[in-house]
Amino acid sequence: MEEIRMVDLKRQYEKIKPEVDSAISEVIESAAFINGPAVKQFAQNLSGYLDGAHVIPCGNGTDALQVALMALDLEPGDEVITSTFTFIATAEVIALLGLKPVLVDVDPHTFNMDLDATREAITSRTRVIIPVHLFGQCVPMDPLQKLAARHNLAIVEDTCQAIGSVARVAGGGEMKAGTIGQMGCMSFFPSKNLGAFGDGGAIFTRDDTLAKKLGAIVNHGSFKKYYHDYVGVNSRLDAMQAAILDVKLRHLDQYIQARRQAAQRYDSMLQGHPDLQIPVRDPGSTHVFHQYTLILNPSVNRNIMQQSLKAKGVPSMIYYPVPLHMQKAYMDEKAHPPGKLPVSEDLAQRVISLPMHTELDEKQQEYICENVLDCLEKNK
Ligand SMILES: *Cc1c(COP(=O)(O)O)cnc(C)c1O
């Protein structure tokens, strides 16, 4: 059996090595390393994948979130609502821009932001909602869009974990994650579902005016060299990464299929066990399984379980051990009291993510699940 990795980028690369290597060589030979044809081509192809949404490449997913907020003409102290159960970047950029992060609790089954909590968090200063499509499944966008429209709020989707996922939207029909709100933000961090060999990111939008503005903001706020219309940043996707991503984009749907298949195999091996809950599918969204995350019963000692799994060569991760409202840097007694978003606090104690990637095979998964079940047995 192949060594089990949390994410197996090595074996994924081996399968597409000739394509990737020649794409890299082409960039080197062209010597167009910054904003060259490779970046343009990838942005165009990704736009095609996203049914025509504009794609503005940038340096990473955190920059994508920051630049999206910068494009909205917000004022210091304006409130931005997002999930407390996410990667830190989502709240970090809000705080960095002098805006106020308002963190809300999540649904106990899907891990995604709770819409009742979101509604209750809206005040006269709220300007933006950032739904985080966690682990590869979209926040229920249909009701969220209606809520945002009623209060005249922008939606900036954090799509970093959910590219290719499809959600039911307001007014009927379905749309791809990241193209539903005013903007969507994507990370091409290597372990993401569409991952580069380094950092990368992009902002998506269907709004032509916003697209132009975003393109300027990532380029020092400039449309024309040495003329600056906005306060901007320097955030670029480099050509080598774009060329690699363009190759991997051609395989993205097959990669998603492989993840779904792996998730189904996990489901069939683990479902019905009284000590754990397998991932719940939201009827309003498809799932692209960036992570396969179990919820353990409170009686299970997760630390011991992780250690025993590790001893057997089975890696696992905790996404996320501390919700953002419990982080020292983000505690705010008024906006989101520490200790008072119970679902996220409980999940943080009980979630465990199993290896999930495009190269997982049935033998590896049988071995993983045998050991998971064995740990649960011994844990009693
Ligand atoms: C990865 C990730 C980010 C940040 O992306 P980087 O490219 O690492 O900056 C933001 N939000 C979520 C939910 C992520 O998973």
Side-chain angles (χ1 to χ4, degrees):
M1 191 177 59
E2 286 278 346
E3 182 193 337
I4 299 171
R5 299 185 175 95
M6 204 56 204
V7 180
D8 199 334
L9 298 174
K10 196 166 172 294
R11 282 172 71 215
Q12 189 190 58
Y13 166 61
E14 279 159 12
K15 288 189 181 159
I16 54 169
K17 185 171 165 23
E19 284 174 88
V20 170
D21 291 2
S22 90
I24 293 173
S25 300
E26 262 178 57
V27 173
I28 296 174
E29 272 157 38
S30 78
F33 298 117
I34 302 287
N35 292 335
V39 178
K40 221 171 261 153
Q41 187 190 315
F42 169 61
Q44 218 165 54
N45 289 338
L46 183 54
S47 168
Y49 182 84
L50 297 172
D51 307 316
H54 297 278
V55 171
I56 297 90
C58 66
N60 55 63
T62 308
D63 280 3
L65 287 159
Q66 179 181 328
V67 168
L69 290 177
M70 287 171 77
L72 286 174
D73 297 322
L74 302 170
E75 288 178 13
D78 281 350
E79 294 174 9
V80 181
I81 300 174
T82 193
S83 168
T84 191
F85 198 61
T86 174
F87 181 59
I88 195 70
T90 325
E92 190 171 47
V93 297
I94 302 170
L96 257 179
L97 293 174
L99 308 168
K100 185 169 160 192
V102 176
L103 304 171
V104 298
D105 214 346
V106 297
D107 178 278
H109 304 291
T110 63
F111 313 108
N112 274 331
M113 74 194 297
D114 182 284
L115 292 192
D116 290 326
T118 304
R119 186 180 309 109
E120 283 160 24
I122 295 173
T123 74
S124 59
R125 290 303 302 270
T126 309
R127 296 288 175 271
V128 187
I129 302 175
I130 306 185
V132 182
H133 305 317
L134 206 72
F135 301 153
Q137 183 163 249
C138 293
V139 170
M141 291 307 287
D142 172 359
L144 185 74
Q145 285 176 288
K146 288 172 182 154
L147 178 67
R150 219 174 306 133
H151 296 270
N152 200 21
L153 308 175
I155 294 178
V156 174
E157 301 172 68
D158 184 335
T159 321
C160 292
Q161 302 187 3
I163 190 159
S165 169
V166 173
R168 202 185 295 152
V169 296
E174 294 179 331
M175 284 167 87
K176 279 196 166 138
T179 70
I180 306 165
Q182 268 70 23
M183 287 171 275
C185 301
M186 180 61 194
S187 165
F188 303 121
F189 188 79
S191 62
K192 298 281 153 85
N193 284 21
L194 179 59
F197 290 4
D199 276 310
I203 308 121
F204 311 146
T205 184
R206 293 192 176 279
D207 181 319
D208 298 343
T209 313
L210 264 178
K212 286 203 184 77
K213 188 169 180 182
L214 290 164
I217 293 175
V218 297
N219 181 32
H220 299 291
S222 167
F223 290 105
K224 187 176 154 198
K225 208 164 181 143
Y226 305 120
Y227 293 80
H228 304 274
D229 294 19
Y230 309 107
V231 174
V233 294
N234 171 23
S235 186
R236 294 187 282 241
L237 177 66
D238 83 59
M240 208 92 81
Q241 301 305 338
I244 294 163
L245 286 164
D246 202 41
V247 170
K248 290 181 81 171
L249 177 61
R250 299 201 280 268
H251 300 275
L252 180 58
D253 279 333
Q254 185 250 313
Y255 288 159
I256 291 172
Q257 209 39 49
R259 286 172 179 274
R260 284 189 181 135
Q261 214 171 43
Q264 265 162 20
R265 283 196 297 255
Y266 273 141
D267 282 353
S268 68
M269 295 173 195
L270 295 173
Q271 71 191 354
H273 195 286
D275 288 338
L276 59 79
Q277 186 188 304
I278 60 172
V280 170
R281 281 30 162 211
D282 189 311
S285 170
T286 63
H287 205 319
V288 294
F289 289 98
H290 177 60
Q291 299 297 344
Y292 186 89
T293 302
L294 302 172
I295 306 175
L296 301 173
N297 263 6
S299 62
V300 179
N301 185 322
R302 188 177 61 178
N303 267 340
I304 293 180
M305 179 163 173
Q306 272 203 295
Q307 279 162 24
S308 340
L309 287 174
K310 191 176 168 202
K312 298 281 186 178
V314 177
S316 63
M317 292 291 281
I318 308 303
Y319 301 118
Y320 295 93
V322 183
L324 303 193
H325 70 285
M326 303 290 282
Q327 300 282 357
K328 217 159 118 188
Y330 293 88
M331 284 191 191
D332 183 333
E333 197 56 56
K334 278 231 282 297
H336 39 259
K340 288 185 185 155
L341 299 178
V343 177
S344 304
E345 288 157 35
D346 181 48
L347 287 173
Q349 303 295 318
R350 292 166 55 198
V351 288
I352 184 167
S353 299
L354 299 182
M356 174 48 83
H357 53 79
T358 57
E359 313 304 312
L360 265 185
D361 62 47
E362 193 162 354
K363 265 212 182 71
Q364 291 177 312
Q365 290 188 276
E366 271 167 7
Y367 180 81
I368 293 165
C369 292
E370 262 166 40
N371 281 291
V372 167
L373 297 174
D374 195 42
C375 286
L376 293 176
E377 208 46 54
K378 288 185 184 143
N379 229 312
K380 293 221 166 107

